[in-house]
Amino acid sequence: MKSERMTSFSQSTRKGCLAIVLAAGEGTRMKSARPKVLHEVAGRSMLGHVLAGVTEAGADQVAVVIGPDRADVSAEASRMVPGAQVFTQTQRLGTAHAVLAAREALAKGAQTLLVVFADTPLIRPQTYGALLDALAQGAGVAVLGFEARDPTGYGRLLSEGGELTAIREHKDANEAERKVTLCNAGLMAINGAQALSWLERIGNDNAQKEFYLTDIVSVARTSGAHAVAVIAPEDEVMGVNDRLQLAAAEAAYQTRLRDHAMREGATLVAPQTIFFSHDTQLGRDVVVEPGVIFGTGVRVGDGARINAYSHLLGATIEAGASVGPFARLRPGAKIGKGAKIGNFVEIKSAEIGEGAAVSHLTYLGDATIGARANIGAGTITCNYDGFDKFRTVIGEGAFIGSNSALVAPVTIGDGAYVGSGSVITKDVAPDALAVARGRQIAKEGWGKSFRASHEGKPKQRP
Ligand code: UD1
Ligand code: CA
């Protein structure tokens, strides 16, 4: 068997590479109202992963083949790749038939064609690149293969004298062929000049009466072209048909993200307890304690620390800041350099200035907090009146006493103080002290006389 090792991979655009992404799967085994390819792995749809992969590998045209009435899949394709062409396969007559649904894109004459499945989300861009490299080295067809622990159900890569000769679908394979463990992952690169004529020669004389894309290997060889297999690890070619496989893909991808974070210089105290999104960015010397969950859109600067059991989504944390334990950062939270966000603090659409401290039990929403301000325990920005949201602005070095409610819109000036337990409804001038709470009164001996007036009375149980 002739197989190419993964070669070095150039990020440069591969001129004239058309990627056709098959996304017409019904996904009935997902038992979902959502089409299978829109289910997510690490915060991005499986279709999104595949589109990002082929684009990163350098495909400069993308066509997506979807099932009938799938505006949602079409929208996701356009969101990921604005220039993507979307085609509908009205009848599911096999993988070759699905590719031909994009005939119009094919007919424009791409140099190379990459055919990929949208339910195989873990393929690395380098692997797509290796398939294209195999074409550059003269192959007419390059198929992605893997050694299957259990080959049942997969197409088998058959060879003769070191040449890939055919792919035999499990249902069509004889006893000897079923013993082959080198399997077809489903994706391939095809010489663009010949792809259309080869695809048109594929018939459906097989067990499933389907037009198999895999038959392109024998068709290409009949016309004198060579076929090769590029081998990938099995965990990369994992396909998703049900929710168990979705969870397995998620687990494999999380392992990849954790390994990447650590290789790039972040300390993950207990890596298997930390969950990333596909786009999480961590700087050098970031420390992440156990149980932290990163939703999408989070960036953490160098040397910052994310303490245990914090939940972050759409947040930016600048260098040297510390967050948590048990903090919740929601979209638009921007934590400045060296700032401190402590336990049971929730922050949404709020900028926290450099070196500011929000140490405990606080909600800051729609706010701007100046550098070095101190926000006491239990501070709440009252930002919503049931209809609209309003902003709270707190100046540099201001001090908000514990258990204060700041009723927005409101501004606290630089260096101002707010007394504990205040309900602040009016702006506070710089360097002023505002106290907005009931004045304390004290009645000498009141307790004693109260008890005396109740002398001998039985106490109700509390
Ligand atoms: C396919 C391969 C098999 C390989 C396996 C890897 C073929 C004929 N067989 O088998 O060799 O080992 O993948 O997982 O290619 N699709 C359409 N329209 C169709 C049929 C399929 O869009 O008419 C899409 C499906 O949504 C799916 C992909 O093509 O994303 C593969 O189709 P599927 O029927 O799952 O092929 P397998 O039997 O798994
Ligand atoms: Ca499949």
Side-chain angles (χ1 to χ4, degrees):
M1 167 74 50
K2 198 163 150 197
S3 59
E4 311 288 319
R5 280 254 129 239
M6 299 286 161
T7 48
S8 68
F9 157 67
S10 79
Q11 296 255 338
S12 64
T13 302
R14 294 164 194 271
K15 276 252 172 305
C17 174
L18 165 66
I20 298 186
V21 180
L22 304 191
E26 291 154 0
T28 44
R29 279 161 63 196
M30 297 296 279
K31 305 209 169 143
S32 175
R34 247 202 290 184
K36 176 169 79 173
V37 300
L38 296 190
H39 281 261
E40 293 181 351
V41 171
R44 178 159 70 185
S45 70
M46 294 198 273
L47 174 61
H49 279 280
V50 171
L51 290 172
V54 295
T55 309
E56 204 179 313
D60 56 0
Q61 300 166 64
V62 173
V64 182
V65 178
I66 65 173
D69 305 316
R70 284 270 64 121
D72 43 6
V73 180
S74 173
E76 172 71 348
S78 307
R79 189 184 69 82
M80 286 297 301
V81 181
Q85 308 167 69
V86 178
F87 298 93
T88 303
Q89 185 194 23
T90 40
Q91 271 180 297
R92 256 179 133 261
L93 299 179
T95 44
H97 178 261
V99 175
L100 282 171
R103 180 190 293 272
E104 203 186 300
L106 270 165
K108 284 183 200 149
Q111 214 171 314
T112 54
L113 172 67
L114 199 52
V115 179
V116 301
F117 296 166
D119 63 355
T120 314
L122 303 184
I123 309 275
R124 292 183 164 86
Q126 293 89 315
T127 303
Y128 297 123
L131 288 170
L132 295 172
D133 288 345
L135 290 194
Q137 284 156 26
V141 179
V143 174
L144 194 68
F146 68 103
E147 278 294 337
R149 278 182 287 267
D150 174 11
T152 313
Y154 288 111
R156 308 300 206 283
L157 301 190
L158 306 181
S159 58
E160 249 169 57
E163 274 265 328
L164 177 61
T165 52
I167 305 175
R168 187 81 70 237
E169 288 307 298
H170 183 90
K171 285 186 180 148
D172 300 293
N174 62 35
E175 197 112 335
E177 289 166 342
R178 285 188 180 182
K179 290 211 170 79
V180 174
T181 53
L182 188 60
C183 289
N184 175 28
L187 40 153
M188 56 180 78
I190 306 165
N191 178 304
Q194 279 151 305
L196 191 53
S197 76
W198 289 342
L199 284 162
E200 281 173 337
R201 268 185 264 165
I202 292 173
N204 67 346
D205 183 17
N206 53 51
Q208 304 184 84
K209 295 281 166 273
E210 278 189 12
F211 296 89
Y212 290 159
L213 173 64
T214 43
D215 283 348
I216 202 161
V217 169
S218 41
V219 170
R221 282 177 50 83
T222 311
S223 75
H226 289 286
V228 297
V230 170
I231 310 302
E234 186 168 8
D235 64 0
E236 195 179 329
V237 305
M238 189 187 287
V240 173
N241 296 314
D242 59 29
R243 308 230 189 197
L244 281 84
Q245 289 171 335
L246 182 67
E250 178 77 39
Y253 197 70
Q254 287 297 337
T255 300
R256 199 187 281 180
L257 293 171
R258 291 165 190 149
D259 290 357
H260 176 76
M262 292 186 281
R263 285 203 187 91
E264 292 300 309
T267 294
L268 308 185
V269 175
Q272 63 286 0
T273 69
I274 295 163
F275 291 85
F276 289 112
S277 281
H278 67 96
D279 62 350
T280 307
Q281 292 178 48
L282 303 184
R284 289 262 169 110
D285 292 315
V286 166
V287 176
V288 185
E289 288 192 348
V292 174
I293 295 175
F294 292 90
T296 52
V298 175
R299 191 176 64 75
V300 183
D302 292 349
R305 191 176 177 98
I306 314 298
N307 295 310
Y309 304 109
S310 294
H311 190 284
L312 290 67
L313 174 68
T316 305
I317 295 111
E318 298 294 348
S322 95
V323 172
F326 300 101
R328 176 159 188 222
L329 302 188
R330 292 171 50 205
K334 295 198 175 102
I335 313 304
K337 277 189 190 153
K340 184 188 173 210
I341 307 301
N343 46 258
F344 308 112
V345 171
E346 174 178 346
I347 296 185
K348 183 220 68 165
S349 290
E351 281 170 47
I352 312 301
E354 197 169 328
V358 189
S359 298
H360 353 249
L361 300 157
T362 289
Y363 171 63
L364 299 177
D366 304 305
T368 304
I369 313 298
R372 296 172 308 284
N374 185 86
I375 310 299
T379 300
I380 305 285
T381 52
C382 309
N383 59 327
Y384 185 47
D385 65 3
F387 292 95
D388 294 307
K389 302 271 170 77
F390 302 95
R391 288 198 76 77
T392 299
V393 178
I394 296 176
E396 287 187 9
F399 186 99
I400 310 299
S402 297
N403 200 31
S404 293
L406 309 173
V407 182
V410 72
T411 297
I412 314 292
D414 291 350
Y417 286 73
V418 167
S420 300
S422 291
V423 177
I424 298 292
T425 53
K426 296 190 197 102
D427 290 355
V428 179
D431 297 319
L433 165 67
V435 183
R437 58 167 126 90
R439 201 170 265 282
Q440 185 166 326
I441 54 167
K443 292 187 176 173
E444 216 49 55
W446 185 90
K448 218 175 184 176
S449 61
F450 178 71
R451 281 189 300 274
S453 71
H454 288 68
E455 180 101 31
K457 245 186 165 180
K459 276 185 183 167
Q460 284 193 24
R461 285 179 106 21

